[in-house]
Amino acid sequence: MLRKEEAGQEPTYSRTADPPAEQHDLGALLAFRNGDLSAFESLFRLHQRAVYGWVLRIVRNPASAEEITVEAFWRIFRSHARLDPARGFEPWARRIATHAAIDYLRKQRPDTQLPPELPAPLVPDPAISEEIRRKTALAFGRLPPTLRTAAALAVIEERPHKEVAEALGITVAAVKLRVFRALRILRKDLTKQGITP
């Protein structure tokens, strides 16, 4: 998440690693579950960058990821009584953030730009390469949000299926099925656009 280093300076991303959920004091998690505002603020400070990074992987837009992160933490605060301290804060927060990101994607029009992390196809003609990237971006943007999220996390971000399953609140088999369906739909869409995947 963004943080001001000093008043008047531009926000910067911190590269420090967030502590794993296991390092949290069980008392702080219990206090948060009971509605303690200072415990929530502490958890927010510890996990905001991790949640923001997770959301960014899904929506691929820093400004939107900022807004969704705020929405996710609002949902987290409202759902404090459902936290299971034994399971940790971060996986639970990631699941809530994932659903907030999917809700955001459902409201958006398909994105016409591919994220810069995707490699360009190996085609000698730059005009053809750009056309393939544009058509691929359109096809990816037309995927249903749940399939697009699973494909973005499992294929583009190369996150483990187990981690994606926990974030989506589904089984590993369901993640694999969603990725398979997303790739099948993407292949059909590209074929209709005249691109042989």
Side-chain angles (χ1 to χ4, degrees), residues 117-128:
E117 297 84 13
L118 288 178
L122 298 175
V123 178
D125 185 347
I128 294 173

Side-chain angles (χ1 to χ4, degrees), residues 75-113:
R75 291 180 184 189
I76 287 166
F77 178 74
R78 289 188 323 212
S79 304
H80 62 85
R82 292 191 298 220
L83 171 68
D84 178 1
R87 298 185 78 181
F89 181 81
E90 195 164 307
W92 180 69
R94 195 170 27 228
R95 185 170 30 257
I96 292 172
T98 300
H99 290 290
I102 289 171
D103 290 345
Y104 166 82
L105 290 173
R106 285 185 175 131
K107 295 176 187 173
Q108 301 304 305
R109 294 181 49 172
D111 191 5
T112 59
Q113 297 293 321

Side-chain angles (χ1 to χ4, degrees), residues 24-83:
H24 289 301
D25 180 19
L26 183 60
L29 293 176
L30 289 170
F32 167 67
R33 187 177 70 183
N34 291 327
D36 186 297
L37 187 57
S38 64
F40 170 72
E41 290 171 354
S42 174
L43 291 168
F44 174 78
R45 283 191 300 275
L46 286 170
H47 294 281
Q48 67 179 344
R49 287 186 304 274
V51 170
Y52 168 80
W54 183 259
V55 170
L56 183 60
R57 288 180 174 112
I58 297 169
V59 299
R60 323 293 288 168
N61 179 308
S64 298
E66 286 275 344
E67 292 175 26
I68 295 165
T69 300
V70 171
E71 170 64 22
F73 273 99
W74 173 242
R75 291 180 184 189
I76 287 166
F77 178 74
R78 289 188 323 212
S79 304
H80 62 85
R82 292 191 298 220
L83 171 68

Side-chain angles (χ1 to χ4, degrees), residues 131 134-136 138-139 142 183-197:
E131 181 69 10
R134 187 184 65 73
K135 287 182 177 182
T136 303
L138 287 171
R142 285 191 285 260
L183 294 176
R184 187 181 69 205
I185 292 169
L186 190 59
R187 187 175 291 117
K188 284 181 182 179
D189 194 332
L190 291 173
T191 302
K192 286 180 183 177
Q193 293 185 60
I195 297 173
T196 306

